[in-house]
Amino acid sequence: MESEVAMGFQVLELRMEGSLAIITLNRPKALNAINVTMVGELEQAVNQVRDDPRVRVVVITGAGDKAFAAGADITEFKAMSSIDAWMFVQRLQRLFLQIERLPKPVIAAVNGYALGGGCELMMACDIVYASDAAKIGQPEINLGIIPGGGGTQRLARLIGKQRAKELVLTGEMISAQEAWGLGLLNKVVPADQLMVEVRKLADKLAIKGPLAVMAAKEAIEDGYDMALERALAYEGKLFALCFATEDRTEGVNAFLEKRPANFKGK
Ligand code: CAA
């Protein structure tokens, strides 16, 4: 498969492989800590993969074999004023929301530490596969601060308030296996199999109808915080919208003709 690396990034790599876009956080010496430059480049990469019609699936991972991301870059915190900190986390929150709301599936390939902002980034992804050597946590409390990239919110929504409080208040790391047990991860795989398994998943997702994928993701994301009755009404409207697509005609015909569907995103 041909692959092409996008130009213009310093602390991340954006690689296109057919319909797959792989974003690799690339500061391995600092355990891929998310500095302001990386936030800017992630914003750029996310816009690029959203607007590129070739991209059907996005993977986010970390360079090296130690870390996905060990959090926000703590060295930048030393001289940060309270207002700077507020601006920084608002930008980080917007970025993670953009990832969560990307109209394409985003897989986190957690290849090592996912701490603080790294854990928050992971939680903004749709599906999370982790290496069995990964360690997950929200250690901000040990710095005298709290999570600011959604850690107190997404974590509680994903695993429940009490378990989220235990992780956030102790700041302790847990293993990938424990995180899986809490419902924070979809799958734990041997470290050397992580990208193999992620690519298998990406291949499965890439052949689905992209409009249906977008609608399904939107129904779950938007419906999640609605009352059930309104959420069901919302789902119904998105269901009806799918019937306006050529992909619906193709999908139904393919089933009836006992052949694989060839979805075009139309
Ligand atoms: N920011 C900046 N640099 C970091 C970093 C971070 N979050 N995490 C690790 N590094 C750097 C280390 O300072 C070290 O740099 P030097 O080689 O220049 O000394 C290098 O990465 C390697 O790290 P260690 O030597 O510490 O590696 P280790 O294997 O001994 O420990 C670790 C690994 C337990 C992950 C440890 O690095 C660690 O605790 N990191 C900090 C984790 C953390 O507190 N994250 C939360 C950040 S705050 C945040 O994310 C706020 C938010 O919600 C947005």
Side-chain angles (χ1 to χ4, degrees):
M1 162 103 43
E2 265 192 40
S3 83
E4 157 198 328
V5 177
M7 305 299 283
F9 294 103
Q10 261 91 57
V11 292
L12 62 79
E13 183 189 85
L14 171 57
R15 180 180 290 275
M16 303 293 186
E17 290 181 7
S19 57
L20 177 63
I22 303 178
I23 299 173
T24 305
L25 311 180
N26 194 15
R27 298 183 69 212
K29 286 195 181 119
L31 302 187
N32 303 320
I34 304 169
N35 60 7
V36 172
T37 308
M38 193 184 282
V39 173
E41 293 191 1
L42 271 169
E43 287 165 349
Q44 198 184 322
V46 166
N47 284 336
Q48 219 163 305
V49 298
R50 187 190 46 232
D51 296 341
D52 186 335
R54 292 172 304 173
V55 176
R56 295 263 179 112
V57 182
V58 179
V59 169
I60 303 181
T61 191
D65 56 7
K66 269 193 88 177
F68 175 70
D73 189 322
I74 300 168
T75 61
E76 290 181 347
F77 286 0
K78 196 161 162 60
M80 221 180 234
S81 70
S82 177
I83 296 294
D84 292 341
W86 188 30
M87 294 299 154
F88 174 70
V89 291
Q90 286 187 77
R91 192 173 171 194
L92 203 61
Q93 289 175 356
R94 271 197 306 275
L95 168 66
F96 292 168
L97 265 177
Q98 269 177 354
I99 291 171
E100 194 171 62
R101 291 311 175 103
L102 208 74
K104 305 176 180 189
V106 184
I107 306 168
V110 178
N111 55 310
Y113 291 113
L115 304 174
C119 181
E120 293 169 327
L121 169 60
M122 176 194 99
M123 290 190 288
C125 296
D126 299 310
I127 300 180
V128 181
Y129 279 15
S131 135
D132 54 4
K135 292 262 186 332
I136 322 287
Q138 295 285 165
E140 290 88 345
I141 203 86
N142 300 322
L143 302 169
I145 60 173
I146 69 165
T152 62
Q153 303 308 308
R154 285 198 181 85
L155 192 61
R157 282 165 171 74
L158 281 167
I159 66 173
K161 278 199 294 182
Q162 283 180 321
R163 292 184 178 120
K165 282 179 189 160
E166 189 176 355
L167 281 177
V168 170
L169 298 181
T170 65
E172 278 172 9
M173 292 187 250
I174 54 173
S175 67
Q177 201 56 45
E178 284 173 281
W180 178 82
L182 293 174
L184 201 46
L185 308 175
N186 294 76
K187 197 169 184 177
V188 182
V189 298
D192 62 351
Q193 290 301 302
L194 179 62
M195 286 312 289
V196 176
E197 291 295 319
V198 164
R199 279 196 165 82
K200 273 192 213 160
L201 172 65
D203 287 347
K204 279 188 211 165
L205 297 172
I207 56 169
K208 308 295 179 203
L211 297 170
V213 166
M214 178 169 76
K217 184 168 163 176
E218 197 173 316
I220 294 171
E221 286 296 347
D222 283 348
Y224 195 76
D225 290 320
M226 288 182 199
L228 184 62
E229 208 173 324
R230 289 193 56 74
L232 288 170
Y234 187 60
E235 180 191 70
K237 291 188 179 94
L238 287 170
F239 179 78
L241 199 59
C242 291
F243 278 69
T245 66
E246 289 176 22
D247 282 352
R248 178 278 303 225
T249 310
E250 167 62 9
V252 172
N253 286 344
F255 175 80
L256 297 174
E257 291 160 18
K258 302 191 187 304
R259 60 172 174 84
N262 179 15
F263 294 116
K264 301 255 169 52
K266 291 196 171 139

